[in-house]
Amino acid sequence: MTTTSASYLAIYAVVARIPRGCVATYGQVAGLAGLPGRARLVGYALSALAGGSAIPWQRVVNARGRISPRSCGSDADTEQRLRLEHEGIQFDAGGRIPLERFLWRPGE
DNA sequence: CCACTGACGAGTG
DNA sequence: GCACTCGCCAGTG
């Protein structure tokens, strides 16, 4: 991978830290990675991972507790939901994740 | 170098 | 809760 940026590595390190059965938001990951306000970078970095890395990118969702839909074909969104449900995370009728219950709390 | 695009967030009405 | 706007960084033409 040639997109080796310090910011990317920090993001990957945080995402890899997310415990199974929990989820984190882009903004949360950005903050923990030392990039407050750079939530977009998290999404950008994760997009480069999806498909082959050992990083649990599926545990990262947006601030509304929803899986962000991407542009091209995107069968990954469906796979992401299946993976999360497989880890024990439940979605409500609106296809959202109750963050008050599944949000990852570092240090807990 | 400039413009456009992309897994987003927070603030405002 | 929804719609709109602004801010942020990186990759591509």
Side-chain angles (χ1 to χ4, degrees), chain A residues 69-90:
Chain A
R70 55 217 149 294
S71 346
C72 191
S74 330
D75 52 307
D77 63 329
T78 303
E79 191 177 316
Q80 178 171 8
R81 174 162 177 167
L82 291 176
R83 282 191 173 207
L84 293 175
E85 290 181 323
H86 187 65
E87 292 185 359
I89 294 177
Q90 306 170 329

Side-chain angles (χ1 to χ4, degrees), chain A residues 9 11-12 14 18 22 38-39 60 68-69 73-74 78 96 98-99:
Chain A
L9 296 178
I11 292 170
Y12 301 152
V14 174
I18 304 175
C22 294
R38 280 67 178 169
V60 184
S68 304
S74 330
T78 303
R96 301 181 304 192
L99 296 178

